[in-house]
Amino acid sequence: DTGVSQDPRHKITKRGQNVTFRCDPISEHNRLYWYRQTLGQGPEFLTYFQNEAQLEKSRLLSDRFSAERPKGSFSTLEIQRTEQGDSAMYLCASSFSTENYGYTFGSGTRLTVV
Amino acid sequence: QKEVEQNSGPLSVPEGAIASLNCTYSDRGSQSFFWYRQYSGKSPELIMFIYSNGDKEDGRFTAQLNKASQYVSLLIRDSQPSDSATYLCALNWGAQKLVFGQGTRLTINP
């Protein structure tokens, strides 16, 4: 296992289309996090899972956003009816729930909505 | 109200000098503090974490924490051009989610 994997690396979509991103965490990690980062800003928390349970969602996460982690392994983040304001880097990270040594981030998915 | 504040920079430091990056936070209950480095177009990578007041050293990097003043800093000694990046401060409570500052852009000038 070489780390957190995200797919695709880049996505260009037209406004109004739906997009789905995938994240494969480090296999031993039971926590998985989604963040969004726009230019010049730090990562902004979206949601996180412990195993298959979604434990927290940001109030900033509109109803157009949904995330799943059905078997406690990989996770998907779907954005419905994309808007130009959704253009950002979407970062996935994973960690152990019993440790607090920070996260390991994936390479991210850069979304551009045109 | 932002929970983690960083000067966005850019901070320009000559090669070989000490770069000092600062971060303040608003919640006195914050327990753990992290510094991440992010190169342009890449994802953040963890440099150091610190839990206790005082200094923690790792190679050319030193993290400093002062919980009474709600202040955490990162010193980079013998700065190299490869240290040019954005440095993100983050914190959490227990093992909960990390909250990030906006980052400080650091440029090391040869």
Side-chain angles (χ1 to χ4, degrees):
Chain A
D1 190 308
T2 56
V4 179
S5 177
Q6 291 188 246
D7 184 72
R9 292 292 301 275
H10 303 276
K11 178 71 176 178
I12 300 174
T13 191
K14 292 184 177 180
R15 189 173 48 189
Q17 298 294 306
N18 299 343
V19 294
T20 299
F21 310 141
R22 176 178 170 128
C23 172
D24 287 88
I26 292 173
S27 57
E28 313 88 78
H29 286 175
N30 61 343
R31 281 202 178 163
L32 186 149
Y33 305 83
W34 285 100
Y35 281 76
R36 176 174 63 189
Q37 187 177 26
T38 54
L39 197 63
Q41 300 299 313
E44 176 184 51
F45 172 75
L46 294 178
T47 188
Y48 87 94
F49 294 84
Q50 181 161 311
N51 301 313
E52 64 274 10
Q54 188 172 18
L55 296 188
E56 186 174 350
K57 286 176 60 173
S58 168
R59 289 171 294 174
L60 301 173
L61 207 63
S62 78
D63 291 343
R64 297 185 297 107
F65 288 72
S66 62
E68 294 182 341
R69 194 183 183 197
K71 297 182 179 179
S73 56
F74 73 91
S75 174
T76 57
L77 177 68
E78 181 183 18
I79 309 174
Q80 297 182 327
R81 305 181 303 281
T82 53
E83 302 172 357
Q84 286 190 319
D86 297 330
S87 296
M89 174 79 87
Y90 289 83
L91 294 164
C92 176
S94 68
S95 71
F96 288 111
S97 60
T98 53
E99 295 178 351
N100 192 22
Y101 302 143
Y103 306 158
T104 301
F105 279 94
S107 298
T109 294
R110 181 164 296 283
L111 173 66
T112 303
V113 181
V114 297
Chain B
Q1 180 182 358
K2 287 190 176 181
E3 297 174 347
V4 184
E5 293 277 357
Q6 293 183 259
N7 188 325
S8 61
L11 175 65
S12 185
V13 173
E15 183 176 357
I18 296 175
S20 177
L21 302 152
N22 304 314
C23 174
T24 58
Y25 59 96
S26 57
D27 188 340
R28 288 189 175 273
S30 302
Q31 296 180 334
S32 309
F33 303 85
F34 303 81
W35 283 100
Y36 282 79
R37 177 176 61 199
Q38 187 173 28
Y39 292 114
S40 181
K42 304 295 185 182
S43 61
E45 56 178 325
L46 181 65
I47 299 175
M48 293 187 70
F49 56 85
I50 184 168
Y51 304 149
S52 304
N53 279 327
D55 295 358
K56 180 181 179 182
E57 188 174 317
D58 184 1
R60 295 186 298 112
F61 298 96
T62 300
Q64 299 175 318
L65 175 60
N66 183 325
K67 290 188 177 183
S69 300
Q70 295 175 239
Y71 177 95
V72 59
S73 64
L74 179 70
L75 302 179
I76 307 174
R77 290 182 300 281
D78 188 24
S79 297
Q80 304 296 310
S82 59
D83 294 326
S84 297
T86 295
Y87 289 81
L88 297 161
C89 173
L91 56 82
N92 68 1
W93 304 262
Q96 302 305 311
K97 67 177 187 289
L98 289 182
V99 177
F100 287 83
Q102 68 178 72
T104 298
R105 189 155 54 94
L106 173 67
T107 300
I108 306 300
N109 300 309

